[in-house]
Amino acid sequence: MKGGVEGKVCEELSAKYYGVCFVGGMLSAGITHVAITPLDVLKVNMQVHPDKYKGSSIICGVATLWKEQGPYSLWRGWSSKLFGYGLQGGFKFGLYEYFKNFYSTDDAFFVNSNNNKTLIFFLSSSSSQIIADVALSPFEAVKVRVQASHPLFAKGLADGFPLLYRTEGLSGFYRGLVPLWARNLPYSMIMFSTFEHSVDLIYRNIIQRRKQDCSTPQQLGVTCLAGYTAGAMGTLISNPADNVLSTLYNKKAESAMQAVKSIGFANLFTRSLPLRIALVGPVVTLQWFFYDTIKLLCGLPTSGGGLARPEAAGG
């Protein structure tokens, strides 16, 4: 079977297609983010309590958390990650496909041409990410407090959500929305664009075969390679805002500018960066792998390599 779609008419621009993309993004993002919860807990604590974890390796950092707070501490915030990043992933992937089609049509204010591909990828990813982060922000606010507050803010999402609302009101859920956008918009723009161009480059210059002429394992292999590259590039761009976000959510600063001053300009780019690369690269790779696997199981082509057109479905 070559991609599972050869000889089929893919409803690439239909509501069914976008629905599959939403569900695929939701499942892939929610599951993968839960799987790396211990590393995420360590990352947040390294950002919020840098003196305590200064110079610590990943193993030493995890050991410190285990010793001081018990094994359960490594899984704090898992429910917020499951539901929050699940919703974010659904909107991010589903709406990205929608906006990519919208911005590439002749009716939009951009013409579908090779010269505009990167711009279309940027616009599509940023448009979808803005909406996705509105859905994520309340869950992220609870997650960061649960993972790094001492004494313990709450046990998880069930008690943390109402507690945050009682203590800070609706604004508490969106305290970090602007820094969240500052982190995720550049990340998403670079990640999706890098993925799209990487897929195109691999098929055109390395494999030198069309996507539809490759087997399913080959297509998923391309997805994984492009996904890891995209995740690493996006992490480099988003690291400063990620540090600011953790500082704000834990009230170590009252504004983004104050957070930047307290962290230090150089530390914005270096603090927790190796851990984030180790964290984000495999997660993004698995997300794209699960996402494209779900698409293939539903009779749709794998992602990347160009702009979606009805006649191009299946390749």
Side-chain angles (χ1 to χ4, degrees), residues 21-286:
C21 293
F22 182 91
V23 173
M26 181 174 63
L27 292 175
S28 62
I31 293 171
T32 52
H33 274 90
V34 169
I36 48 85
T37 297
L39 291 177
D40 187 51
V41 172
L42 176 59
K43 181 210 73 170
V44 171
N45 277 274
M46 290 176 70
Q47 291 172 333
V48 176
H49 311 291
D51 293 336
K52 184 175 182 179
Y53 294 93
K54 186 176 182 180
S56 295
S57 65
I58 294 176
I59 295 176
C60 290
V62 169
T64 298
L65 282 169
W66 183 298
K67 180 180 178 180
E68 294 184 355
Q69 302 178 41
Y72 175 76
S73 65
L74 298 174
W75 291 98
R76 283 179 186 156
W78 71 266
S79 55
S80 295
K81 290 173 72 65
L82 177 63
F83 293 103
Y85 282 95
L87 278 177
Q88 187 211 39
F91 284 115
K92 182 169 68 174
F93 282 93
L95 290 178
Y96 172 76
E97 300 287 357
Y98 171 80
F99 283 120
K100 186 169 70 169
N101 172 57
F102 173 77
Y103 288 126
S104 65
T105 58
D106 294 338
D107 294 333
F109 47 90
F110 289 96
V111 178
N112 182 6
S113 69
N114 288 331
N115 293 333
N116 285 332
K117 274 188 177 182
T118 299
L119 183 56
I120 291 171
F121 297 150
F122 280 171
L123 285 169
S124 303
S125 55
S126 59
S127 297
S128 62
Q129 191 70 56
I130 287 173
I131 299 171
D133 282 350
V134 172
L136 170 65
S137 186
F139 298 92
E140 184 76 356
V142 175
K143 178 189 78 77
V144 174
R145 285 169 173 81
V146 167
Q147 289 179 339
S149 294
H150 300 292
L152 189 63
F153 173 79
K155 293 181 179 179
L157 184 62
D159 58 337
F161 211 91
L163 177 58
L164 180 58
Y165 182 75
R166 287 198 305 270
T167 55
E168 299 185 34
L170 188 62
S171 62
F173 293 117
Y174 293 97
R175 176 185 180 88
L177 180 58
V178 173
L180 197 62
W181 281 333
R183 179 189 73 181
N184 289 347
L185 282 173
Y187 168 81
S188 187
M189 292 166 69
I190 295 299
M191 191 274 287
F192 275 105
S193 180
T194 300
F195 179 84
E196 295 274 8
H197 287 300
S198 294
V199 169
D200 182 59
L201 183 147
I202 293 170
Y203 281 118
R204 183 161 38 87
N205 295 341
I206 299 177
I207 298 179
Q208 297 182 347
R209 294 167 64 190
R210 297 183 306 168
K211 181 193 295 187
Q212 59 264 41
D213 294 329
C214 295
S215 66
T216 297
Q218 287 174 326
Q219 291 188 33
L220 290 177
V222 171
T223 292
C224 290
L225 182 58
Y228 189 88
T229 303
M233 291 296 296
T235 301
L236 291 172
I237 297 296
S238 64
N239 200 61
D242 188 63
N243 280 299
V244 171
L245 189 66
S246 293
T247 302
L248 282 176
Y249 273 137
N250 278 278
K251 294 187 176 182
K252 298 293 183 177
E254 293 300 322
S255 68
M257 288 303 298
Q258 190 178 84
V260 171
K261 290 180 181 178
S262 66
I263 296 170
F265 186 76
N267 289 333
L268 283 173
F269 295 89
T270 59
R271 181 178 293 174
S272 74
L273 180 60
L275 180 57
R276 285 198 72 224
I277 291 177
L279 188 71
V280 175
V283 167
V284 173
T285 303
L286 286 173

